[in-house]
Amino acid sequence: VGGGEGGGGGRRQGKLTVETRTHYANAIGMLELGFQALKNKHTNFGIWKSISMELAGVLKTFGDCLAEEVLEGGGWRHAEGADREDGQLVVDLLLKAVGLLEGVGERPLAASVCLSLGKFYAASLQASRPRHEAAEAQLRRAATLALEGGGDRRVYLGAVAALANLHRSPHAPHPRPQALKLCAQTLAMPLRLPKPAQAEGGERASEGMEG
């Protein structure tokens, strides 16, 4: 995504130009036309699944780019105007991507999107209890989905590490002793994985902890 000159209406300068945003919107619109042509997934599930995965990829890419801009601007909690709208758009795009992937049985891929959304909540809204709870919910969902349908241990361990960091954050809504207990319980989660991954799981989750 190339650098832009920034739009009007009080929008910060950033990487996403109006033209780039328009391209994303057009891509999303064209892919959604594919759903309309099929009417339902039973018409041709293979094509429906291909469209779903392609659209989910576009939604996640757009959402991740927007999230980067929102976080560079100091976080969604402090944003105003267009930037606050971008923060909500990140959530909407990623949640839609999760729904599409779950709808075609790609739960481990949905887990990676949940992980992105949970990290966005945690990074931009740490001081808000409802958003802290939303971050925790998405990270736990990521961990659960990551182990289904064949599993993705990398995403699972990433979710565990992000969840542990969330609990040990100074902005956690729980009293410090309880927060540290939750952090320890979270880091123990990989120990419940099947035996071949047990040792590796504990090590990688610990390495993901922030200093």
Side-chain angles (χ1 to χ4, degrees), residues 1 16 42 65 75-76 98 104 132 137 146 150 163 176 179:
V1 180
L16 287 176
H42 303 296
C65 289
W76 186 14
V98 171
V104 294
H132 188 283
L163 189 56
R176 192 64 177 166

Side-chain angles (χ1 to χ4, degrees), residues 29-193:
M30 289 301 296
L31 287 165
E32 288 179 336
L33 284 176
F35 289 136
Q36 295 178 27
L38 289 173
K39 300 195 185 310
N40 63 71
K41 63 183 178 182
H42 303 296
T43 304
N44 188 320
F45 182 73
I47 295 177
W48 185 279
K49 182 173 182 177
S50 295
I51 295 172
S52 295
M53 294 183 68
E54 186 71 26
L55 179 53
V58 173
L59 293 168
K60 184 177 186 301
T61 301
F62 188 17
D64 286 345
C65 289
L66 280 172
E68 183 179 348
E69 288 211 337
V70 171
L71 295 178
E72 285 177 354
W76 186 14
R77 190 172 66 87
H78 302 291
E80 297 179 356
D83 289 337
R84 178 172 285 276
E85 292 173 8
D86 278 353
Q88 183 59 53
L89 183 56
V90 170
V91 175
D92 294 342
L93 290 168
L94 295 182
L95 283 176
K96 187 170 183 178
V98 171
L100 286 167
L101 292 168
E102 286 193 286
V104 294
E106 293 292 337
R107 296 173 76 81
L109 288 178
S112 69
V113 185
C114 287
L115 178 56
S116 293
L117 180 54
K119 286 183 174 180
F120 174 69
Y121 273 130
S124 62
L125 297 163
Q126 290 173 332
S128 166
R129 185 183 183 102
R131 300 308 181 184
H132 188 283
E133 293 170 351
E136 181 175 354
Q138 289 300 327
L139 293 172
R140 288 190 180 281
R141 187 180 182 191
T144 299
L145 292 174
L147 294 181
E148 297 182 4
D152 188 330
R153 295 180 185 279
R154 178 186 58 82
V155 172
Y156 174 79
L157 293 168
V160 169
L163 189 56
N165 284 325
L166 183 69
H167 287 316
R168 69 195 288 264
S169 162
H171 302 291
H174 311 293
R176 192 64 177 166
Q178 183 183 354
L180 292 177
K181 181 179 179 180
L182 288 169
C183 180
Q185 291 173 343
T186 300
L187 288 173
M189 287 169 58
L191 300 177
R192 296 194 289 272
L193 291 175

Side-chain angles (χ1 to χ4, degrees), residues 153 190 193-202:
R153 295 180 185 279
L193 291 175
K195 251 188 168 165
Q198 188 168 343
E200 180 188 1

Side-chain angles (χ1 to χ4, degrees), residues 157-158 161-162 165 187 202-211:
L157 293 168
N165 284 325
L187 288 173
E203 291 173 6
R204 290 178 61 186
S206 297
E207 290 172 1
M209 290 285 292
E210 296 171 0

